[in-house]
Amino acid sequence: MPNIGIIGLQWGDEGKGKVIDLLSKDADIVVRYQGGANAGHTIVVQGEKIILHLVPSGILHESKYCVIGNGVVLDPVVLEKEISELKAKGFIKDDKKFMVSGLAHLIMPYHKKLDILRESKGKKRIGTTGRGIGPAYEDKASRMGIRVIDLMDPDVFKEKIKQNLEIKNFIIEKYYGDQGFKAQDIIKQYVPFRKLLKKYIADTADFLHKSIEEHKKILFEGAQGTFLDIDHGTYPYVTSSNTVAGNIASGSGVPPNCIDSVLGICKAYTTRVGEGPFPTELKDEIGDRIREVGREYGSTTGRPRRCGWFDAVTVKRAIKLNGINGLCLMKLDVFDNFKKIFICTGYELNGKKYDIPPMSSYELSKCNPILEEMPGWKGSVIGIDEYKKLPPNAKKYIARLEELLGVRIDIISTGPDRDSTIVLKKPF
Ligand code: GDP
Ligand code: IMO
Ligand code: MG
């Protein structure tokens, strides 16, 4: 299986960063293909924590190529900071191994401002990360966007900024009553990024095509999660890109028949940040306990994550949407010493039962979870790296999830560190 997609099956923060870092050892290339700095992917190596927002999570392995594909919306401010922090720690020794697609769209200062203004002054909050993601993808769709390649040509860049500011300043000033932007200020801020990006800009699709011909192993690093997908998620409480595996192809320029398998990442429970329906949410002391034990605070914004039981209805749907070949079950250790654990096996609404989520997000927000009780395990699974060492009730929980989901769990994670992992089947 040379080319593998890694996809979050819930509402993001499933532990994709840890899995990518783990599998990068056996890969040649790691590619981000959608989203932007709204992502926060955490890697823990021997107790040291690194959070990546834009740079692919393969970067800690020196010999690997890391690629930011055309489908990403790239904030050069974040990228510059991330690169300099990684370099200070001794990573990115060879600039030739890091590439940014010239076709990726740039996040501009007005995107971030509009995102924040909408969230603070609009009537309906989405609970975005405030990273300008929605406004940047809107510009891409309306053909107003500015791409990395446009930044390389001073005249084109200047012209596009002027064109954009006519409209953006009108909205910021007249609709929101806030202060607009001056073209020369943005140009002054962005010109130094030209020098930075010149080092990394590439026709990344061409690089990937050639790598495929050479039988290189590629990991596609999904950001966000299936139910934050703009089409298949809990709209409008979603992000502005397609997060499902189907977008690996368009977001990187690799044809669909070159993606050999897709690994789905899910936690032993569910979390979500921001607004929107969440049928198994626990707004009580059990939810608080999961949050505290699992340290469920956003890697990007620090916001407390909403927590709840494992939802087999949504995860089953995610398995279908993404064509999942194998699962990674993360954060099993968080349930250490829980007396009882529950799994949601269906929903109920007005006497009707659902085994797939209703199409309407409003209806989903009203659904009651049908819960199945499982016994907890006494003792700790933290750091266990062999299946046989798991307590019997932890094995029962895993087996029941596999039965409900109909897909094998290939990797079980028992702690944040690289080594706290049980690998039952190697994906490569
Ligand atoms: P991502 O966005 O999918 O990469 O996930 P995040 O990094 O936002 O959130 C996952 C969090 O869980 C991070 O803080 C990880 O270090 C942590 N983590 C990952 N796997 C495990 C695990 O098995 N157990 C525990 N306790 N923490 C884990
Ligand atoms: P990773 O890759 C969790 C959520 C936001 C908000 C919604 C829209 O770390 O799993 P946006 O800023 O994208 O317009 O916000 O999506 N969101 C995430 N939640 N993990 C993420 O990424 C997220 N990226 C966006 O909280 O609800
Ligand atoms: Mg995250």
Side-chain angles (χ1 to χ4, degrees):
M1 292 295 178
N3 305 323
I4 302 175
I6 305 290
I7 302 282
L9 301 185
Q10 294 160 323
W11 277 280
D13 303 325
E14 296 90 350
K16 299 175 292 293
K18 169 173 169 166
V19 176
I20 305 268
D21 169 66
L22 195 76
L23 302 186
S24 292
K25 186 165 57 74
D26 298 318
D28 298 299
I29 305 161
V30 184
V31 186
R32 275 281 310 265
Y33 56 90
Q34 48 73 229
N38 48 350
H41 296 176
T42 313
I43 304 170
V44 181
V45 185
Q46 284 162 355
E48 201 198 341
K49 186 167 162 177
I50 292 179
I51 300 175
L52 298 165
H53 301 287
L54 272 173
V55 173
S57 301
I59 204 73
L60 306 194
H61 297 264
E62 205 180 303
S63 58
K64 315 299 170 182
Y65 283 87
C66 284
V67 172
I68 294 186
N70 57 277
V72 170
V73 281
L74 184 121
D75 185 342
V77 180
V78 177
L79 186 73
E80 184 183 50
K81 188 166 175 272
E82 211 160 281
I83 289 175
S84 79
E85 284 170 1
L86 284 164
K87 287 199 170 191
K89 289 188 170 130
F91 303 110
I92 324 188
K93 287 203 180 106
D94 183 356
D95 280 324
K96 289 198 179 63
K97 292 203 161 147
F98 182 59
M99 294 178 199
V100 175
S101 168
L103 307 187
H105 281 245
L106 287 170
I107 299 246
M108 304 299 292
Y110 45 81
H111 292 140
K112 289 186 267 193
K113 184 149 201 167
L114 282 167
D115 192 1
I116 291 162
L117 282 171
R118 269 184 209 165
E119 288 283 292
S120 56
K121 299 200 172 172
K123 287 205 180 76
K124 225 172 187 176
R125 274 169 49 85
I126 302 289
T128 72
T129 58
R131 296 297 190 266
I133 305 298
Y137 277 118
E138 283 166 37
D139 276 0
K140 177 176 176 174
S142 71
R143 292 157 289 185
M144 289 286 287
I146 305 181
R147 308 205 279 191
V148 172
I149 191 74
D150 300 326
L151 174 63
M152 297 302 142
D153 184 324
D155 294 335
V156 171
F157 188 60
K158 204 166 153 185
E159 186 52 38
K160 290 210 167 199
I161 287 182
K162 279 191 182 153
Q163 220 183 29
N164 268 282
L165 285 186
E166 269 181 38
I167 300 168
K168 267 54 173 196
N169 279 344
F170 182 84
I171 300 170
I172 292 168
E173 288 163 5
K174 301 278 189 282
Y175 185 76
Y176 288 113
D178 210 297
Q179 204 181 338
F181 290 90
K182 288 196 183 82
Q184 66 263 36
D185 292 344
I186 297 182
I187 292 166
K188 202 169 144 204
Q189 187 193 1
Y190 272 56
V191 163
F193 298 136
R194 184 176 297 146
K195 196 170 157 215
L196 173 83
L197 284 163
K198 247 189 187 147
K199 278 197 269 189
Y200 305 118
I201 188 170
D203 182 339
T204 52
D206 183 56
F207 169 71
L208 293 174
H209 297 158
K210 288 178 178 143
S211 303
I212 288 168
E213 277 165 20
E214 291 164 13
H215 304 288
K216 295 279 191 268
K217 292 181 196 150
I218 310 173
L219 273 178
F220 294 95
E221 175 173 0
Q224 290 78 56
T226 300
F227 295 98
L228 290 171
D229 183 281
I230 183 107
D231 287 291
H232 301 285
T234 45
Y235 193 89
Y237 303 100
V238 293
T239 190
S240 297
S241 66
N242 282 111
T243 60
V244 293
N247 193 27
I248 293 175
S250 32
S252 68
V254 160
N257 58 355
C258 290
I259 298 149
D260 302 291
S261 77
V262 186
L263 204 54
I265 319 297
C266 54
K267 287 184 208 185
Y269 48 92
T270 315
T271 64
R272 132 161 247 180
V273 210
E275 308 300 314
F278 180 178
T280 63
E281 182 170 15
L282 293 161
K283 292 181 180 166
D284 56 11
E285 63 280 7
I286 304 172
D288 294 342
R289 185 171 167 200
I290 295 176
R291 184 178 311 107
E292 292 317 311
V293 179
R295 300 210 181 109
E296 293 296 353
Y297 292 89
S299 323
T300 300
T301 57
R303 289 178 291 175
R305 295 174 181 152
R306 299 156 65 193
C307 299
W309 299 120
F310 189 92
D311 182 347
V313 181
T314 45
V315 174
K316 251 195 318 203
R317 173 73 167 193
I319 286 169
K320 294 277 183 212
L321 289 167
N322 295 293
I324 296 300
N325 303 92
L327 293 167
C328 301
L329 185 69
M330 312 302 288
K331 305 192 89 159
L332 188 67
D333 53 294
V334 174
F335 279 150
D336 281 357
N337 299 311
F338 269 59
K339 282 206 177 73
K340 296 172 190 169
I341 302 167
F342 290 84
I343 304 172
C344 168
T345 57
Y347 303 145
E348 184 276 329
L349 181 64
N350 301 327
K352 192 177 160 196
K353 283 196 176 156
Y354 291 85
D355 57 5
I356 53 170
M359 276 195 286
S360 148
S361 288
Y362 176 73
E363 277 184 22
L364 183 63
S365 74
K366 299 283 166 210
C367 280
N368 298 309
I370 300 167
L371 297 173
E372 182 177 304
E373 186 181 323
M374 299 287 295
W377 48 91
K378 288 193 193 86
S380 170
V381 305
I382 293 178
I384 289 183
D385 57 4
E386 281 181 274
Y387 181 80
K388 63 174 190 240
K389 291 186 182 159
L390 288 174
N393 284 352
K395 289 182 183 161
K396 267 189 203 157
Y397 185 63
I398 293 164
R400 182 63 184 138
L401 290 180
E402 282 185 329
E403 188 178 35
L404 285 165
L405 302 172
V407 179
R408 293 303 299 264
I409 294 172
D410 294 338
I411 292 176
I412 300 157
S413 179
T414 57
D417 215 274
R418 247 183 213 168
D419 302 331
S420 304
T421 317
I422 302 167
V423 181
L424 295 168
K425 187 180 165 209
K426 280 195 169 191
F428 279 114

